[in-house]
């Protein structure tokens, strides 16, 4: 998967394209900005009203579902138009002569998916048009409309892209794909009788993995696999596809996702992360391999302010890049440390992965937040030990320790940003606010620091940050919606029962189950950009872990770290490409530097996996259970 620098350092508001494309994006940007800022005002206002006036806005949940649907689908369409949906390019890079054909086929498949999903959603619109929400009495179909409109937009954007491609190639691909579809549809009655039992789900899985390998964006590959299974297995009408997508993005907890992404971008562009890195540099910059230690500790701290790993990598990496170059550090090793420490940060709250895991399982969000702190610190310590010995082997000399005056001055500049995680934790643990409400406070607090205190976020930068945050959140939510639909498909195909059978064949061995889960999450997490893997596998695996005597909380933290390792593991982990893009180093060189850090990440992960105390100590201390 190869994102560009625009993925992490700002999205193009008006990329090159036709008038239709530019107009569509301008309208989408306005809608996304209204949805994000409007919902932020509603959620934050609800907290203030409850705290000061002992009242609450009962309609917040209904508005949240509409805002989430808008962000997920309109934002997903906007991300597609800008080319920011994650996809794997490693295979295409090896066959440049076929690259044009596969890219055209990818656009045609996206067009097909958009048309089928839009058509299927019309029935869902009709069904829900007779339902009213309990508080605002608005039609329940209003939550479905953003998806229908977004699929129409995606179809238009796909056609616009195809129009700009090599015409003979497009014509040839249209004839080839159209012929295959026509043959499949006309002969369906003949071959369908042969596809019984597990054949439909196997075909769907094969189609999914084969299409992402040749460049189809992950979210659309998930939808294609779901669509194929529904068509072949005839297990449910096609309306199940849009229905599960809408339901998968309707959880109020998921509102924290766009809020924390927004907060992360504000940190990066408002000078907040710069002050945090400066404070960490004053504390640990004198150690052997000093700047690399600074990177690890900074990622831990920044992960405590922003839930988005992409935002974390951008916030720290963009500050550290010039420092590494100035002090003649290896940029390849810098990218490797940045990626490894980001993988470690998956369990530092408020992690988006944690929020997703809490929204799809019965795990306590407060217990997850507390349970992830020590495991992340354990892995951070492992990374810092490796950095120290590698620097010593390379004759790296320690720097002069910063004076108390320098440390105090840096700490004074960083004290306001460092107060944010303290306030966030206090709000959740004391029951003053939900994680979603706390995430809205993170945005408001970050905005106050960036505009009123540091004065580094002007109006133009703020508008761009709103649009970038909404689009990035839309891309993630769109993938989550697609993954929810695919997860439902796997459940219908009785995959949980098969996992239980595999477990029974291992004689209920907790060690075999834990190691197998880690390997599975790393592999699937690297292919599915992390979060879809979590959505698909966590609800299936967590109950099994409980049945064989593992703590579900501890097991959930292990899954989060394993997913993070996969997402930042070369050659296909999306996070690794982001780190390389930020540091501006080529993938091959950084991959070689990443090898020892991958080994240490695995050692740290196994320590956390087989020493549950690291996870359960803090939740038990606060009587949150494990």
């Amino acid at each position: 998967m190869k994102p560009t620098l625009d993925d992490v350092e700002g999205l193009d508001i008006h990329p090159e394209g036709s008038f239709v494309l530019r107009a569509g994006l301008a309208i989408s940007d306005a809608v996304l900005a209204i949805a994000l800022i409007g919902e932020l005002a509603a959620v934050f206002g609800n907290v203030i009203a409850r705290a000061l006036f002992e009242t609450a806005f009962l309609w917040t949940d209904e508005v949240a579902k509409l805002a989430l649907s808008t962000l997920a689908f309109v934002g997903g369409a906007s991300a597609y138009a800008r080319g920011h949906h994650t996809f794997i390019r490693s295979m295409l890079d090896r066959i440049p002569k076929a690259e044009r054909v596969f890219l055209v086929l990818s656009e045609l498949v996206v067009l097909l998916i958009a048309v089928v999903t839009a058509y299927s959603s019309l029935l869902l619109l009709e069904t829900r048009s007779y339902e009213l929400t309990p508080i605002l009495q608005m039609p329940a179909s209003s939550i479905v409309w953003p998806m229908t409109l977004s699929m129409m937009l995606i179809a238009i954007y796909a056609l616009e892209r195809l129009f700009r491609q090599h015409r003979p190639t497009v014509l040839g691909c249209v004839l080839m794909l159209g012929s295959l579809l026509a043959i499949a549809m006309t002969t369906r009655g003949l071959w369908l009788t042969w596809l019984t039992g597990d054949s439909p789900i196997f075909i769907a899985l094969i189609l999914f993995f084969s299409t992402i390998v040749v460049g189809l964006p992950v979210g659309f590959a998930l939808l294609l696999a779901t669509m194929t299974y529904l068509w072949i297995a005839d297990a449910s009408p096609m309306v199940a596809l849009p229905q599960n997508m809408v339901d998968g993005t309707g959880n109020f907890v998921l509102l924290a996702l766009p809020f924390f992404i927004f907060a992360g971008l504000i940190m990066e562009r408002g000078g907040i992360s710069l002050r945090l890195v400066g404070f960490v540099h004053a504390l640990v910059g004198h150690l052997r391999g000093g700047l690399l230690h600074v990177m690890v500790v900074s990622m831990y701290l920044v992960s405590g302010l922003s839930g988005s790993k992409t935002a974390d990598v951008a916030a720290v990496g963009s500050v550290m890049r010039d420092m590494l170059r100035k002090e003649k550090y290896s940029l390849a090793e810098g990218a490797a440390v940045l990626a490894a420490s980001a993988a470690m940060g998956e369990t530092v709250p408020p992690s988006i992965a944690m929020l997703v895991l809490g929204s799809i399982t019965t795990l306590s969000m407060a217990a997850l937040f507390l349970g992830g702190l020590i495991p992340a610190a354990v892995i951070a310590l492992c990374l810092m030990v490796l950095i120290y010995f590698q620097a010593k082997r390379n004759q790296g000399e320690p720097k002069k320790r910063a004076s108390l005056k320098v440390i105090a001055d840096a700490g004074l500049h960083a004290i306001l940003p460092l107060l944010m995680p303290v306030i966030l934790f206090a709000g959740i643990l004391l029951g003053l606010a939900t994680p979603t409400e706390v995430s809205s406070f993170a945005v408001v607090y970050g905005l106050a620091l960036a505009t009123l205190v540091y004065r580094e976020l002007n109006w133009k930068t703020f508008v761009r940050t709103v649009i970038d945050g909404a689009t990035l959140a839309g891309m993630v939510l769109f993938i989550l919606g697609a993954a929810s639909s695919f997860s439902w498909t796997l459940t219908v195909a009785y995959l949980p029962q098969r996992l239980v059978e595999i477990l029974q064949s291992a004689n209920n061995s907790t060690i075999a189950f834990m190691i197998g889960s880690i390997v599975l999450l790393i592999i699937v997490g690297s292919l599915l950009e992390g979060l879809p893997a979590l959505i698909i596998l966590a609800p299936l695996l967590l109950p099994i872990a409980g049945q064989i005597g593992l703590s579900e909380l501890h097991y959930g933290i292990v899954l989060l770290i394993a997913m993070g390792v996969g997402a930042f593991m070369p050659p296909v982990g999306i996070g690794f490409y982001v780190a390389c893009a930020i540091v501006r180093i080529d993938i091959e060189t950084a991959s070689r530097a990443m090898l020892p850090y991958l080994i240490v990440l695995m050692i740290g992960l196994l320590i956390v996996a087989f020493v549950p105390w690291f996870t359960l100590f803090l939740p038990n201390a606060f009587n949150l259970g494990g």
Side-chain angles (χ1 to χ4, degrees):
M1 303 176 186
K2 277 192 178 179
T4 64
L5 275 175
D6 285 338
D7 287 333
V8 285
E9 293 187 347
L11 303 174
D12 295 327
I13 296 181
H14 297 296
E16 294 182 4
S18 67
F19 171 77
V20 173
L21 178 62
R22 294 195 302 271
L25 283 174
I27 296 172
S28 297
D29 289 347
V31 170
L32 290 171
I34 292 171
L36 182 58
I37 298 299
E39 185 55 30
L40 175 64
V43 173
F44 188 73
N46 192 35
V47 177
I48 300 300
R50 191 172 62 239
L52 298 182
F53 307 109
E54 297 185 353
T55 186
F57 304 146
L58 299 179
W59 43 264
T60 304
D61 187 61
E62 295 178 8
V63 174
K65 289 185 177 180
L66 179 59
L68 277 170
S69 181
T70 302
L71 289 170
F73 300 116
V74 178
S78 178
Y80 170 73
R82 291 179 162 100
H84 293 296
H85 271 276
T86 53
F87 59 94
I88 296 174
R89 289 295 302 269
S90 54
M91 181 64 70
L92 293 183
D93 290 342
R94 289 177 171 82
I95 47 174
K97 291 183 179 180
E99 182 177 8
R100 178 186 289 172
V101 174
F102 282 119
L103 289 177
V104 169
L105 284 173
S106 176
E107 301 297 347
L108 287 172
V109 171
V110 168
L111 175 62
L112 174 66
I113 292 169
V115 170
V116 172
T117 307
Y119 179 79
S120 303
S121 69
L122 295 178
L123 180 59
L124 185 61
L125 279 171
E126 182 182 359
T127 303
R128 296 196 176 180
S129 63
Y130 301 103
E131 304 173 12
L132 298 176
T133 59
I135 306 298
L136 296 177
Q137 291 292 294
M138 63 180 182
S141 59
S142 58
I143 299 171
V144 182
W145 268 114
M147 187 192 64
T148 305
L149 295 174
S150 77
M151 290 300 163
M152 294 178 180
L153 284 174
I154 289 172
I156 293 171
Y157 296 151
L159 286 171
E160 198 271 347
R161 285 188 182 184
L162 288 168
F163 184 76
R164 289 188 282 126
Q165 292 287 347
H166 186 242
R167 298 294 174 81
T169 304
V170 173
L171 182 59
C173 290
V174 168
L175 290 175
M176 180 179 68
L177 189 60
S179 300
L180 288 174
L181 287 173
I183 293 171
M185 293 177 70
T186 54
T187 61
R188 184 169 182 262
L190 299 176
W191 52 259
L192 197 59
T193 56
W194 294 87
L195 300 178
T196 57
D198 295 330
S199 298
I201 193 62
F202 286 149
I203 291 174
L205 289 170
I206 291 170
L207 186 63
F208 167 71
F209 286 111
S210 60
T211 52
I212 63 169
V213 164
V214 296
L216 186 66
V218 172
F220 294 99
L222 289 165
L223 293 179
L224 179 63
T226 303
M227 192 180 300
T228 302
Y229 177 81
L230 291 174
W231 189 54
I232 294 176
D234 206 19
S236 181
M238 196 62 72
V239 71
L241 175 66
Q243 180 174 334
N244 281 284
M245 286 185 71
V246 172
D247 293 343
T249 57
N251 194 319
F252 184 78
V253 173
L254 289 180
L255 260 182
L257 190 152
F259 288 168
F260 277 129
I261 288 177
F262 189 24
L265 291 176
I266 291 169
M267 282 178 52
E268 177 201 349
R269 299 172 189 182
I272 299 173
S273 58
L274 179 64
R275 287 163 174 81
L276 284 172
V277 172
F279 176 56
V280 174
H281 188 272
L283 288 176
V284 300
H286 63 280
L287 300 175
R288 292 183 188 270
L291 287 186
L292 301 181
H293 290 297
V294 171
M295 193 175 286
V296 174
V297 178
S298 296
M299 284 298 295
Y300 190 100
L301 291 178
V302 171
S303 294
L305 306 180
S306 160
S308 166
K309 288 296 144 286
T310 297
D312 294 345
V313 169
V316 175
S318 58
V319 173
M320 295 296 302
R321 179 181 59 228
D322 295 334
M323 297 172 69
L324 291 169
R325 187 179 288 111
K326 181 180 178 181
E327 298 196 22
K328 294 182 170 45
Y329 277 75
S330 164
L331 291 182
E333 189 168 11
V337 173
L338 186 61
S341 53
M344 164 271 296
E346 285 292 1
T347 63
V348 179
S351 162
I352 287 175
M354 276 187 171
L355 296 168
V356 171
L357 182 62
S359 71
I360 61 176
T361 65
T362 58
L363 294 175
S364 161
M365 198 68 73
L368 278 171
F369 276 23
L370 282 174
L373 286 172
I374 296 179
V378 169
I379 297 177
L381 183 60
C382 291
L383 291 173
M384 293 178 75
V385 168
L386 174 62
I387 291 169
Y388 178 84
F389 282 107
Q390 290 215 133
K392 189 173 183 179
R393 186 188 64 186
N394 297 330
Q395 286 80 46
E397 293 297 327
K399 301 287 185 181
K400 183 180 178 181
R401 184 188 295 269
S403 65
L404 287 176
K405 181 180 182 303
V406 171
I407 294 175
D409 186 58
L412 188 63
H413 284 88
I415 191 168
L416 290 178
L418 287 172
L419 279 176
M420 188 188 293
V422 176
I423 298 171
L424 297 183
F425 265 95
I428 293 173
L429 295 177
L430 296 176
L432 301 177
T434 66
T436 302
E437 293 170 337
V438 163
S439 68
S440 70
F441 179 84
V443 176
V444 175
Y445 187 79
L447 278 174
L449 289 184
T451 56
L452 301 178
V453 180
Y454 303 141
R455 299 184 179 181
E456 295 191 21
L457 196 68
N458 56 34
W459 175 251
K460 182 179 178 180
T461 306
F462 171 73
V463 171
R464 184 180 179 89
T465 302
V466 171
I467 295 170
D468 290 356
T471 305
L472 286 172
M475 180 188 70
V476 176
L477 287 168
F478 185 92
I479 293 174
L480 290 180
S484 295
S485 189
F486 188 57
S487 177
W488 173 85
T489 298
L490 295 178
T491 304
V492 171
Y494 299 103
L495 191 62
Q497 289 84 339
R498 285 161 175 76
L499 288 173
V500 171
E501 291 171 4
I502 294 172
L503 177 65
Q504 290 173 343
S505 67
N507 297 320
N508 288 344
S509 169
T510 56
I511 295 177
F513 179 72
M514 184 68 82
I515 293 176
S517 300
I518 289 172
V519 172
L520 182 62
L521 259 294
I522 289 176
I523 294 173
V524 180
S526 66
L527 292 173
L528 297 191
E529 197 257 331
L531 288 179
L534 194 67
I535 277 195
I536 293 167
L537 294 175
L540 307 179
L541 296 174
L542 272 173
I544 300 174
Q547 290 171 14
I548 64 172
L550 291 172
S551 161
E552 291 191 13
L553 174 60
H554 169 232
Y555 182 72
I557 294 297
V558 172
L559 290 186
L560 289 173
I561 300 173
M563 182 210 74
V565 173
F568 285 88
M569 183 178 71
V572 293
I574 176 64
F576 185 72
Y577 287 113
V578 172
C580 291
I582 286 292
V583 179
R584 294 175 183 167
I585 187 70
D586 63 274
I587 306 298
E588 290 74 16
T589 307
S591 295
R592 289 191 293 271
M594 184 70 179
L595 286 177
Y597 293 96
L598 272 177
I599 294 171
V600 169
L601 277 175
M602 290 304 304
I603 293 172
L605 174 54
L606 291 174
I607 291 173
V608 171
F610 292 106
V611 186
W613 180 88
F614 289 125
T615 300
L616 302 180
F617 172 72
L618 286 178
N620 288 337
F622 283 85
N623 296 318
L624 293 173

